[in-house]
Amino acid sequence: MIQERTLPTFDTNSIKISQEEGLILYEDMVLGRLFEDKCAEMYYRGKMFGFVHLYNGQEAVSSGVIKAMRQDEDFVCSTYRDHVHALSAGVPAREVMAELFGKATGCSKGRGGSMHMFSAEHNLLGGYAFVAEGIPVATGAAFQSKYRRESMGNEAADQVTACFFGDGACNNGQFFECLNMATLWKLPIIYVVENNKWAIGMAHERATSEPEIYKKAHAFGMVGVEVDGMDVLAVHSAAQEAVARARAGEGPTLIEALTYRFRGHSLADPDELRDKEEKEYWFSRDPIKQFTAYLTENNLADVAELEAIDQKIEKLIAEAVEFATGSPEPGADELYRYIFAED
């Protein structure tokens, strides 16, 4: 077993969250977890096809970052593990599920499937199947916000972009080129590395000369932050600081969230490469269980309230499946639609 990296500690006493904020984070994480569990069930029942990459275990990263932003105003750019980012960004569960079913009512009109969630309405810039492909797209979105504000005089153009990618993407050229440009131009962007230790079947420590990714920010004069990606409060706090800096014109931040995926790389992956001891270590740090304990111990919620949220989400997901099942498939006469921008 590879020696586990020491996780940064976060003092929860250093922040104050309201009951409303706590329940928003909890509900969003539960939505992500239960949605992905239902995806696994639907996939094995033959309702979904192709590669499906689930997010179980990483919910604190999506919820912690995106809920620190302005919904439907700020931009979110994802990866091929994009369902939960879409949900956190406000895309309705029924539209995400319908997309996974390949239906016309999906957020990408049934054209994208699991790896290409997109919603202009919610400023979700897309999921990207190629590793690191979303990094330049997100950097471009941040550039246009800055350009509109500073060159075109639009004071309302203070949007921040969050760009999610995995540890494997940090060995790609786009990562280094975009960090360089973002720092030079002081772009309002947060680069969020979801370091789940494994790039498909390659252990992160074996693939890079500097495993501590956040340190790479300093080479570009960028702020680099390391957080416990299993602690939603730690992620949320780091994201709030990064968003404030970006919105104030102080430039980008690289956040490395140390997290773990609880399932294989995709639902086609039997997950035989990872050590049982390693899995058990991370399973014991389940972000939802940890946050449940925090909420109850700090009298922000009781067990009955949290169970009511769980039941509400279960009903929502059941309705999403029903909606997806009953939705029409894209017609053959629409084969060439949504290819050009004017459509």
Side-chain angles (χ1 to χ4, degrees):
M1 178 179 175
I2 295 170
Q3 181 65 38
E4 291 293 346
R5 184 162 148 191
T6 302
L7 290 168
T9 56
F10 179 73
D11 180 10
T12 54
N13 294 319
S14 66
I15 60 158
K16 285 276 187 191
I17 66 164
S18 66
Q19 182 184 50
E20 182 184 9
E21 289 171 321
L23 293 181
I24 286 172
L25 290 171
Y26 176 82
E27 183 170 324
D28 196 58
M29 285 201 291
V30 170
L31 172 61
R33 175 70 58 86
L34 297 185
F35 187 94
E36 297 292 68
D37 286 345
K38 182 59 72 172
C39 284
E41 178 190 334
M42 293 295 106
Y43 181 86
Y44 291 127
R45 287 175 59 185
K47 300 293 185 181
M48 296 175 192
F49 304 95
F51 288 104
V52 177
H53 306 81
L54 300 187
Y55 200 77
N56 299 59
Q58 301 183 195
E59 297 88 357
V61 186
S62 181
S63 298
V65 172
I66 297 175
K67 293 308 176 186
M69 304 173 76
R70 296 177 187 162
Q71 187 170 306
D72 302 337
E73 289 185 40
D74 290 333
F75 295 95
V76 173
C77 193
S78 187
T79 65
Y80 49 72
R81 203 178 302 280
D82 57 352
H83 317 158
V84 177
H85 294 147
L87 294 169
S88 292
V91 182
R94 61 191 342 214
E95 291 185 21
V96 179
M97 189 66 76
E99 188 58 41
L100 285 158
F101 277 50
K103 299 298 183 72
T105 54
C107 58
S108 299
K109 312 297 183 188
R111 270 77 168 173
S114 174
M115 294 189 279
H116 300 285
M117 298 289 166
F118 171 82
S119 177
E121 180 185 353
H122 299 94
N123 280 0
L124 177 70
L125 299 175
Y128 295 88
F130 287 98
V131 172
E133 187 182 14
I135 300 178
V137 174
T139 304
F143 175 78
Q144 66 83 30
S145 294
K146 184 180 176 73
Y147 187 85
R148 288 176 192 273
R149 186 177 177 87
E150 296 184 2
S151 298
M152 299 179 71
N154 183 355
E155 289 298 318
D158 65 344
Q159 296 87 359
V160 173
T161 299
C163 178
F164 294 89
F165 48 93
D167 46 282
C170 299
N171 297 319
N172 286 34
Q174 298 101 311
F175 171 77
F176 297 100
E177 291 177 61
C178 289
L179 261 63
N180 183 53
M181 285 189 287
T183 306
L184 280 173
W185 298 336
K186 284 194 172 182
L187 298 185
I189 187 167
I190 310 166
Y191 295 106
V192 185
V193 188
E194 299 182 305
N195 184 354
N196 61 24
K197 291 174 57 71
W198 292 87
I200 307 181
M202 172 59 73
H204 171 61
E205 289 84 354
R206 293 181 60 196
T208 183
S209 56
E210 175 48 89
E212 295 179 292
I213 300 167
Y214 75 100
K215 291 182 178 178
K216 295 180 181 180
H218 304 313
F220 301 99
M222 183 186 295
V223 175
V225 182
E226 176 191 40
V227 297
D228 179 355
M230 306 302 269
D231 183 344
V232 70
L233 292 177
V235 177
H236 193 58
S237 179
Q240 286 176 317
E241 289 182 21
V243 168
R245 289 185 63 259
R247 221 179 295 280
E250 295 172 12
T253 303
L254 175 66
I255 297 176
E256 180 185 6
L258 302 174
T259 186
Y260 200 72
R261 52 175 167 79
F262 287 175
R263 293 179 179 268
H265 173 68
S266 75
L267 285 174
D269 174 15
D271 196 21
E272 294 172 347
L273 292 171
R274 299 188 300 175
D275 189 87
K276 183 185 176 186
E277 226 181 301
E278 177 186 285
K279 291 183 196 177
E280 288 175 352
Y281 168 80
W282 287 94
F283 290 165
S284 70
R285 308 200 72 260
D286 187 311
I288 296 176
K289 289 180 180 177
Q290 288 193 98
F291 194 52
T292 297
Y294 173 84
L295 291 173
T296 53
E297 288 167 10
N298 287 274
N299 299 316
L300 292 171
D302 58 35
V303 174
E305 284 178 286
L306 300 181
E307 287 179 348
I309 290 173
D310 295 350
Q311 290 167 9
K312 182 178 89 170
I313 296 301
E314 286 173 2
K315 182 182 178 186
L316 178 74
I317 293 171
E319 289 171 352
V321 171
E322 188 178 343
F323 173 77
T325 303
S327 292
E329 294 187 357
D333 59 328
E334 288 197 331
L335 184 62
Y336 297 106
R337 282 197 72 192
Y338 308 113
I339 294 174
F340 299 105
E342 57 264 28
D343 197 10

